[in-house]
Amino acid sequence: MCLIRTFVAVDLPDEMREKIKDIQSKLEPFDLRLVGPELVHITLKFLGDMPEEKVSAISEALDSIECEPFEANIAGLGVFPKPSYAKVVWIGAEGNFVKLHDEVESSLKSFRFKKDRRGFTAHSTIARVKNIPKADKEDFLRILDELKDVEIGKMYVDRVKFKKSTLTPEGPIYETLHEAKLG
């Protein structure tokens, strides 16, 4: 049995990639692992490792999502879990993502994937923090504060993508296995 690492996501439009790159350039002085701008997305549900044979059944389940397409605003910079102990740097996403997330959860219920331990927050990870030494913390927090209200742009969410993630030393490679249209 071949296991593949998978997730369900909304891709950001290509025209947002330059803006993401600009924001990431402001974070370059710090010890972070930046996410390639072309890979930045909004994860609705991480499925983890699963048998490849389930791809068509999951694709079919995702086609049953009942959520109308919606307008979303991609804006604001933040960190998880908190600024004094940042592990992930993200860009916020506002729109009907909670309903969409709940619909994804509901459509996949019969597969018994793990429920998210933390509540769902729509976001796009743009960097993972390796280490911020005490000497750099003040500068890091200042840049986060300067970018907290950054505007990336508006987008129309009309599909979700079921993706495979192959981890490599150079970073992940994503492949879309299925695209489910909303509405």
Side-chain angles (χ1 to χ4, degrees):
M1 173 170 63
C2 181
L3 292 179
I4 56 173
R5 181 182 166 94
T6 60
F7 62 95
V8 179
V10 170
D11 279 341
L12 297 183
D14 288 341
E15 56 269 18
M16 292 185 176
R17 310 274 176 222
E18 260 329 292
K19 187 87 172 182
I20 291 168
K21 207 186 273 181
D22 291 347
I23 292 167
Q24 288 177 324
S25 70
K26 293 175 173 69
L27 298 169
E28 274 176 359
F30 305 102
D31 192 9
L32 309 175
R33 193 169 57 245
L34 299 176
V35 175
E38 71 288 354
L39 299 176
V40 174
H41 61 273
I42 299 163
T43 301
L44 296 168
K45 176 128 186 96
F46 178 71
L47 305 177
D49 292 332
M50 54 166 265
E52 202 163 4
E53 300 81 67
K54 285 190 176 179
V55 167
S56 62
I58 289 171
S59 298
E60 211 172 289
L62 290 170
D63 284 335
S64 74
I65 291 172
E66 290 183 19
C67 181
E68 290 302 312
F70 58 93
E71 190 66 35
N73 189 35
I74 309 303
L77 191 81
V79 296
F80 290 138
K82 58 187 180 183
S84 60
Y85 184 71
K87 288 288 160 205
V88 170
V89 181
W90 51 261
I91 293 171
E94 298 162 3
N96 208 6
F97 290 106
V98 171
K99 167 140 174 61
L100 183 54
H101 167 264
D102 292 350
E103 281 289 325
V104 169
E105 284 279 12
S106 173
S107 73
L108 300 176
K109 198 177 196 163
S110 66
F111 296 96
R112 292 192 165 85
F113 288 109
K114 275 188 189 148
K115 277 262 192 222
D116 293 330
R117 287 175 304 161
R118 303 178 281 272
F120 175 74
T121 304
H123 70 282
S124 293
T125 299
I126 63 164
R128 287 184 172 66
V129 179
K130 289 184 187 173
N131 178 38
I132 306 280
K134 262 196 168 92
D136 295 341
K137 195 150 278 193
E138 200 175 300
D139 286 341
F140 181 66
L141 293 173
R142 181 181 46 75
I143 287 174
L144 289 181
D145 191 57
E146 284 171 12
L147 294 171
K148 73 177 190 282
D149 297 321
V150 70
E151 286 289 332
I152 307 296
K154 297 208 178 303
M155 65 181 279
Y156 188 65
V157 178
D158 64 352
R159 67 196 65 223
V160 298
K161 294 187 178 179
F162 176 31
K163 294 184 173 247
K164 171 181 170 182
S165 171
T166 305
L167 302 178
T168 74
E170 293 78 39
I173 297 169
Y174 298 149
E175 178 189 334
T176 299
L177 301 172
H178 182 70
E179 206 172 279
K181 291 187 177 24
L182 303 182

